[in-house]
């Protein structure tokens, strides 16, 4: 489960400790163990390769949630969102390596530096965006040394100083823990070029994705690196195209109603570049590239992964295949009805995509 072949296709799901989405206001305790287990097992059953465990200020600890997910599943990997800088890099490296050993190599790290000053302040972090990415650069440099160094090492930087750092526990793969990386600002892309094994974008238009891939590849080239690319979408499926678009409009209406019930007014202007890119796409129209639906991103201020691909499973699979042609090899998909949508993705969408991909490969070989 560790490092993938560059051309291997990977599907990543999403695990939340309770039912919650734009159309489901959170209720009850912060952790519902039965729901977490069902959601994880549904995605393992459905053929997902990994599950993202998200991070945000005030949420249950992602590393501990990932350990619980691993305990109730057998095969599926965990991609753990980690706010670089909140834990010393040598300590975090040992935590991830320990869990990787306990799970038989099922752990990946999703490095997030933080794109909202207000959220970061809740945990006492007041660095500027560029300072945060500089800290992430140092963090990942140190973590990789801890995962691979055969003897103690020293490091001296602007944010960390390590004397005689070393980890007795190493990841299962001698290359370390796979690093997924998010962030679209110039400072983020520079760090991604040095460290990302997989660079992650939210669900943008084909033109935007083509542009982003070119930028990251250019940033990685001086280091002789060739990162994979990931896209995140919220697929909205139905048996017919008309029914799928009707469902999309219903989800938009329910999103508005849920926000109103919570007393949420117009979404604040986002501080992170990823959200700004989604809103730029939404400004071009609510339906782009035939299947990309941007209205929910616009309604929520694109505060996270909030663009959808709409259609039948086969139509959405074809849309994913268009991104695959640009170089995308990882798709992070989660639904607005998280559990039932995860079941539908495993039953219908992932098999449809793999059939279309195999068919295209067979045609290429025959040509």
């Amino acid at each position: 489960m560790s490092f993938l072949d560059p051309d291997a296709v990977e599907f990543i799901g999403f695990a939340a400790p309770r039912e919650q989405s734009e159309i489901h206001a959170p209720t009850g305790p912060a952790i519902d163990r039965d729901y977490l287990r069902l959601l994880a097992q549904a995605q393992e059953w459905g053929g997902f390769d990994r599950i993202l465990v998200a991070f945000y200020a005030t949420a249950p600890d992602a590393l501990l949630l990932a350990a619980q997910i691993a305990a109730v599943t057998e095969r599926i990997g965990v991609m753990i969102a980690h706010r670089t800088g909140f834990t010393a890099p040598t300590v975090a490296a040992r935590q991830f390596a320990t869990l990787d050993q306990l799970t038989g190599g099922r752990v990946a790290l999703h490095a997030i530096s933080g794109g909202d000053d207000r959220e970061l302040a809740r945990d006492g972090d007041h660095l500027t965006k560029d300072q945060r990415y500089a800290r992430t650069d140092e963090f990942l440099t140190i973590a990789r040394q801890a995962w691979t160094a055969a003897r103690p090492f020293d490091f001296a930087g602007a944010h960390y100083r390590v004397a005689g750092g070393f980890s007795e526990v190493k990841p299962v793969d001698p290359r370390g823990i796979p690093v997924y990386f998010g962030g679209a600002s110039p400072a983020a892309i520079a760090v991604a070029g040095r460290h990302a094994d997989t660079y992650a974008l939210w669900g943008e238009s084909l033109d935007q994705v083509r542009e982003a891939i070119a930028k990251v590849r250019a940033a990685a080239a001086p280091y002789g690196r060739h990162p994979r690319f990931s896209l995140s979408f919220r697929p909205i499926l139905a048996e017919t195209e008309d029914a799928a678009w009707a469902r999309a409009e219903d989800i938009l209406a329910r999103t508005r109603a849920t926000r109103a019930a919570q007393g949420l007014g117009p979404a604040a202007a986002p501080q992170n570049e990823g959200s700004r890119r989604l809103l730029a796409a939404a400004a071009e129209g609510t339906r782009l590239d035939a299947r990309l639906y941007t209205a929910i991103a616009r309604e929520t201020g694109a505060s996270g992964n909030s663009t959808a691909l709409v259609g039948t499973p086969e139509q959405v699979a074809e849309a994913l295949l268009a991104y695959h042609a640009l170089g995308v090899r990882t798709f992070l998909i989660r639904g607005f009805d998280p559990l039932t949508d995860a079941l539908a993705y495993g039953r219908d969408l992932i098999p449809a995509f793999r059939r279309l991909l195999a068919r295209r490969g067979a045609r290429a070989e025959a040509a």
Side-chain angles (χ1 to χ4, degrees):
M1 270 308 304
S2 54
F3 289 84
L4 292 172
D5 178 274
D7 288 325
V9 171
E10 179 184 44
F11 280 93
I12 300 179
F14 182 84
R18 60 179 170 179
E19 185 177 41
Q20 182 176 351
S21 77
E22 290 82 351
I23 62 174
H24 294 287
T27 59
I31 297 176
D32 181 338
R33 289 183 299 169
D34 289 337
Y35 180 80
L36 180 65
R37 172 180 54 81
L38 286 172
L39 190 56
Q41 291 176 347
Q43 290 169 91
E44 181 167 66
W45 167 83
F48 285 80
D49 300 285
R50 295 190 192 273
I51 298 175
L52 169 64
V53 187
F55 176 101
Y56 59 91
T58 75
D61 185 84
L63 194 68
L64 296 177
L65 290 176
Q68 177 64 12
I69 289 168
V72 298
T73 56
E74 297 179 357
R75 172 197 57 80
I76 198 164
V78 286
M79 185 174 85
I80 305 166
H82 185 78
R83 183 65 57 77
T84 50
F86 287 2
T87 306
T90 50
V91 176
R94 294 196 300 274
Q95 291 174 327
F96 274 77
T98 298
L99 186 57
D100 194 58
Q101 284 288 343
L102 292 173
T103 62
R106 295 159 63 188
V107 170
L109 184 154
H110 182 39
I112 52 174
S113 302
D116 188 321
D117 294 341
R118 295 158 295 191
E119 190 206 15
L120 288 151
R122 292 178 180 139
D123 281 322
D125 190 359
H126 299 280
L127 296 184
T128 66
K129 179 185 290 186
D130 286 356
Q131 288 172 331
R132 292 196 296 267
Y133 280 109
R135 180 177 62 187
T136 294
D137 187 7
E138 294 186 14
F139 178 101
L140 292 173
T141 298
I142 295 168
R144 288 192 188 279
Q145 286 185 267
W147 290 329
T148 60
R151 56 184 60 87
F153 63 90
D154 298 335
F155 179 91
H159 298 278
Y160 299 108
R161 296 188 64 184
V162 175
F166 186 71
S167 176
E168 293 180 4
V169 60
K170 306 293 187 186
V172 170
D173 192 308
R175 293 171 291 181
I177 300 287
V179 173
Y180 294 69
F181 189 96
S185 68
I189 290 175
V191 179
R194 289 190 287 272
H195 292 289
D197 297 310
T198 299
Y199 178 77
L201 302 94
W202 285 332
E204 301 180 353
S205 70
L206 291 166
D207 286 342
Q208 287 177 307
V209 170
R210 187 181 294 108
E211 172 197 29
I213 287 176
K215 286 182 178 180
V216 174
R217 283 178 171 162
Y223 306 98
R225 306 189 70 253
H226 304 279
R228 292 165 52 88
F229 293 92
S230 173
L231 272 181
S232 300
F233 288 111
R234 312 288 293 276
I236 298 174
L237 308 179
E239 292 185 0
T240 68
E241 181 174 9
D242 286 346
W245 283 112
R247 186 181 173 214
E249 295 298 332
D250 178 65
I251 289 171
L252 175 61
R254 292 170 64 188
T255 296
R256 289 171 174 159
T258 301
R259 290 178 60 83
Q262 294 175 304
L264 297 176
Q271 296 181 352
N272 67 86
E273 187 61 25
S275 293
R276 290 170 181 161
R277 288 175 64 89
L278 291 190
L279 292 179
E284 296 181 10
T286 59
R287 301 185 186 186
L288 304 177
D289 299 330
R291 308 245 156 261
L292 183 64
Y293 185 58
T294 65
I296 297 167
R298 183 168 57 190
E299 183 69 26
T300 60
S303 59
N305 170 21
S306 48
T307 51
L309 292 175
V310 181
T312 67
E314 291 74 19
Q315 289 172 330
V316 172
E318 288 173 352
L320 293 177
L321 203 61
Y323 289 102
H324 181 276
L326 298 181
V328 176
R329 293 296 180 267
T330 291
F331 298 100
L332 196 161
I333 53 175
R334 65 184 177 102
F336 293 96
D337 288 301
L339 181 55
T340 55
D341 283 338
L343 291 167
Y345 298 158
R347 183 185 63 240
D348 301 319
L349 178 57
I350 294 176
F353 176 86
R354 296 199 183 279
R355 284 195 304 269
L356 288 175
L357 183 62
R359 194 177 305 158
R360 189 178 72 174
R363 286 199 301 266
E365 289 181 3

